[in-house]
């Protein structure tokens, strides 16, 4: 019996032990750096417990009876499906946190229990402004609204989860789509069940890391690991994937480096395993911008400029300004240097691409935001029927899109608005279905707060 730690800047679980008689409680210590709770929002750790059988989902938790103790006041919120918990500060604070927590199981603990955790940021419920009428983004598929005369009339105020029409008319969502397959089909409606970002949700603070993905691969039986492993992927920058096989384990030489070379299937399998889900385009913009557009043509850090940005991607794709000491200096009024979003989500713009659920295809609009249940198919794929699926070629997953831009270390095309970062509303690839493993493709998961 041992704790299973995912080494990263954010949460690490250790000293796990099953306690109580009968064996229905699990105690572990969880801590991370640069936690916060303030008037705007807070961060937290998503924690699931698993047995050593990779074919089974997370251990189901009891609805009540969980405990959290430490110097600072912490809180534990159990998810509605009882797959896991969010642990977060219960009082205003900024700094490192550590708690010993006790989780009550719904049944007896198996012989081997491991804890899996990932650092997340809480995005509060509420209305927000979607899209932009800045000319540099309008011609790249940005969402916007039109007035009675058909003229561009600014971003849209999204106040609830109601179904939305996609039309060039007042009250509806509209976007230019001059390149087939890139911006989307301008079809609608966008159903009420499609997550629009006005409900509270959690989003990963950082892009998926190579250490997190290596831990996932290490827990899989060999045939599944082979299917989900990017080791040996050929192509430009393949050396930036630091994953290697060490016996039956996969190790990451650079565990904190964003995990590139993940396919859409890889991404979905990891999200299902962790009982999380993909984010929609709307949720991307809410997490990036906050409740209101601060300025036309805004980036997630709240200005329309990249001049003060100090966040950099090294040639090996390690992020600088990513050390604990540096991120500790991040504050709401000093986000520009760090490339941090309104809610302090890191690297939503830049580093590697954010794959999202697109409004631009029927398969994307069929998404209802179901969460993974930790159980994969025999081919090590996610099982959620509402998540866009990859076609037989492996190249496309209709219904996904790409947001936030990525670092290419060279000019990709003249005036490319997505390299190395893009503005919040830019949708140059908002309806693009690329599902393959590639140097600039990574993953970031969310979870509805309930
Ligand atoms: Ca990114
Ligand atoms: Ca599943």
């Amino acid at each position: 019996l041992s704790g299973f730690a995912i080494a990263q800047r954010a949460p690490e679980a250790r000293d796990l032990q099953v306690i109580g008689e009968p064996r229905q409680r699990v105690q572990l210590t969880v801590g991370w750096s640069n936690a916060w709770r303030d008037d705007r929002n807070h961060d937290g750790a998503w924690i699931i417990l698993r047995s050593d059988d990779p074919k089974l989902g997370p251990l189901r938790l009891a609805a009540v009876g969980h405990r959290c103790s430490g110097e600072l006041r912490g809180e534990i919120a159990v998810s509605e499906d009882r797959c896991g918990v969010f642990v977060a500060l219960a009082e205003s604070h900024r700094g490192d946190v550590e708690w010993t927590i006790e989780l009550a199981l719904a049944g007896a603990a198996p012989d081997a229990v491991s804890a899996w955790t990932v650092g997340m940021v809480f995005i509060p419920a509420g209305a927000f402004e979607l899209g932009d009428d800045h000319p540099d983004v309008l011609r790249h598929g940005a969402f916007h609204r039109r007035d009675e005369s058909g003229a561009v009339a600014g971003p849209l105020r999204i106040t609830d989860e109601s179904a939305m029409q996609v039309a060039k008319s007042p009250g509806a969502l509209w976007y230019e789509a001059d390149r087939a397959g890139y911006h989307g089909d301008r079809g609608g409606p966008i159903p009420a069940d499609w997550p629009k970002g006005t409900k509270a949700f959690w989003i990963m603070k950082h892009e998926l890391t190579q250490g997190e993905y290596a831990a996932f691969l290490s827990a899989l039986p060999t045939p599944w690991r082979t299917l989900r492993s990017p080791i040996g992927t050929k192509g430009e920058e393949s050396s930036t994937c630091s994953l290697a096989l060490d016996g039956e384990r996969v190790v990451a030489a650079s565990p904190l480096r964003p995990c590139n070379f993940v396919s859409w299937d890889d991404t979905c399998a990891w999200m299902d395993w962790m009982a999380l889900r993909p984010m929609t385009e709307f949720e991307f913009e809410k997490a990036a911008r906050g409740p209101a557009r601060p300025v036309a043509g805004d980036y997630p850090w709240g200005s329309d400029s990249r001049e003060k940005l100090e966040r950099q991607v090294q040639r090996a794709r390690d992020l600088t300004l990513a050390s604990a000491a540096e991120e500790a200096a991040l504050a709401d009024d000093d986000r520009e240097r760090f490339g941090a979003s309104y809610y302090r989500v890191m690297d939503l713009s830049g580093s590697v691409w954010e794959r999202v659920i697109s409004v631009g295809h029927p398969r994307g609009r069929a998404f209802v935001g179901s969460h993974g249940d930790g159980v994969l198919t025999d081919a090590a794929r996610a099982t959620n029927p509402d998540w866009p699926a990859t076609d037989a070629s492996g190249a496309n997953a209709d219904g996904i899109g790409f947001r936030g831009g990525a670092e290419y270390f060279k000019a990709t095309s003249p005036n490319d608005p997505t390299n190395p970062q893009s503005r919040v509303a830019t949708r140059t690839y908002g309806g693009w279905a690329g599902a393959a493993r590639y140097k600039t493709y990574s993953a970031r998961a969310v979870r509805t707060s309930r």
Side-chain angles (χ1 to χ4, degrees):
L1 190 70
S2 66
F4 198 99
I6 301 172
Q8 56 175 25
R9 295 155 287 204
E12 191 171 60
R14 57 182 170 79
D15 302 335
L16 184 148
Q17 54 180 320
V18 175
I19 59 172
E21 194 58 52
R23 293 161 44 84
Q24 285 197 353
R25 297 185 72 78
V26 171
Q27 183 188 75
L28 60 94
T29 297
V30 61
W32 66 95
S33 51
N34 305 325
W36 80 89
R37 178 182 283 268
D38 60 20
D39 292 343
R40 185 171 289 183
N41 70 326
H42 55 274
D43 71 345
W46 169 245
I47 301 174
I48 61 168
L49 302 174
R50 298 188 61 104
S51 72
D52 62 355
D53 184 344
K55 309 229 161 145
L56 301 178
L59 305 186
R60 286 300 190 275
L61 301 171
V64 294
H66 312 287
R67 291 186 200 128
C68 182
S69 57
E71 282 179 31
L72 293 157
R73 234 166 3 104
E75 65 179 23
I76 296 179
V78 190
S79 65
E80 195 177 66
D81 57 14
R82 298 196 201 165
C83 278
V85 296
F86 285 102
V87 179
L89 277 160
E91 60 181 301
S92 291
H93 182 74
R94 169 66 166 169
D96 297 354
V97 292
E98 183 169 288
W99 289 287
T100 296
I101 63 171
E102 273 184 45
L103 301 179
L105 304 181
D111 289 341
V113 179
S114 59
W116 296 72
T117 179
V118 63
M120 302 189 84
V121 173
F122 181 75
I123 309 297
F128 68 105
E129 280 184 318
L130 175 83
D132 203 347
D133 57 357
H134 188 290
D136 285 359
V137 296
L138 272 182
R139 64 170 169 269
H140 289 281
F143 297 136
H144 62 276
R145 62 190 172 87
R146 299 285 177 128
D147 62 18
E148 280 77 4
S149 70
V152 174
L156 295 105
R157 185 115 183 117
I158 308 295
T159 57
D160 58 39
E161 298 285 309
S162 310
M164 286 182 69
Q165 299 302 317
V166 179
K168 201 172 182 174
S169 56
L173 172 123
W174 193 240
Y175 53 95
E176 296 301 336
D178 57 359
R179 297 169 78 199
Y182 283 81
H183 301 140
D185 64 4
R186 295 198 287 201
I190 305 169
D193 285 340
W194 195 85
K196 297 181 187 65
T198 69
K199 282 186 184 170
F201 65 100
W202 291 81
I203 183 169
M204 284 165 63
K205 191 189 288 186
H206 297 97
E207 293 157 338
L208 175 70
T209 66
Q210 298 199 4
E212 287 165 340
Y213 197 65
F216 166 62
L217 293 175
S218 294
L220 301 181
T222 306
W224 283 13
R225 186 165 57 236
T226 304
L227 287 165
R228 297 281 71 90
S229 172
I231 297 170
T233 301
K234 299 278 190 286
E236 240 181 282
E237 281 194 39
S238 58
S239 65
T240 60
C241 171
S242 76
L243 272 52
L245 208 52
D246 177 15
E248 286 297 298
R249 290 182 54 79
V250 172
V251 292
S254 300
L256 301 185
R257 184 180 298 167
C259 190
N260 52 359
F261 290 105
V262 279
S263 68
W264 178 245
D265 280 352
D266 298 339
T267 295
C268 290
W270 180 80
M271 289 182 184
D272 190 346
W273 177 271
M274 290 298 294
L276 299 170
R277 67 166 173 88
M279 67 175 145
T280 67
E281 290 193 80
F282 284 26
E283 289 171 324
F284 170 85
E285 292 198 20
K286 169 83 180 273
R289 174 181 280 168
R293 183 181 64 161
V295 60
D298 58 326
Y299 290 91
W301 42 92
S303 75
D304 62 355
S305 156
R306 297 182 288 196
E307 273 173 28
K308 293 182 185 165
L309 188 64
E310 291 178 19
R311 191 74 154 170
Q312 288 184 328
V313 184
Q314 299 302 307
R315 207 63 187 74
R317 296 208 168 269
D318 292 310
L319 292 161
T320 52
L321 256 180
S323 75
E326 287 163 317
E327 281 192 23
L330 171 60
D332 289 343
D333 59 0
D334 184 19
R335 296 186 284 115
E336 213 167 345
R337 285 194 297 140
F338 300 88
S341 87
Y342 179 86
Y343 294 113
R344 299 187 185 174
V345 184
M346 302 300 291
D347 311 304
L348 277 173
S349 179
S351 182
V352 281
W353 284 98
E354 312 284 329
R355 275 190 178 113
V356 294
I357 305 296
S358 177
V359 301
H361 191 278
R363 288 290 291 118
R365 293 190 293 274
F367 183 70
V368 298
S370 71
H371 293 122
D373 64 357
V375 181
L376 305 181
T377 70
D378 289 343
R381 285 199 174 92
T383 54
N384 301 61
D386 62 314
W387 298 6
T390 304
D391 65 15
S393 77
N396 297 297
D398 287 337
I400 68 169
F402 288 67
R403 301 294 290 268
E407 173 68 74
Y408 280 79
F409 303 110
K410 62 183 179 190
T412 38
S413 66
N415 305 314
D416 186 337
T418 68
N419 173 17
Q421 299 95 11
S422 64
R423 302 176 197 269
V424 171
T426 301
R427 294 184 66 256
T428 312
Y429 300 94
W432 195 63
R437 295 183 180 123
Y438 193 60
K439 62 182 180 180
T440 49
Y441 300 172
S442 185
R444 189 190 308 260
V446 301
R447 194 174 226 282
T448 311
S449 176
R450 61 187 179 212

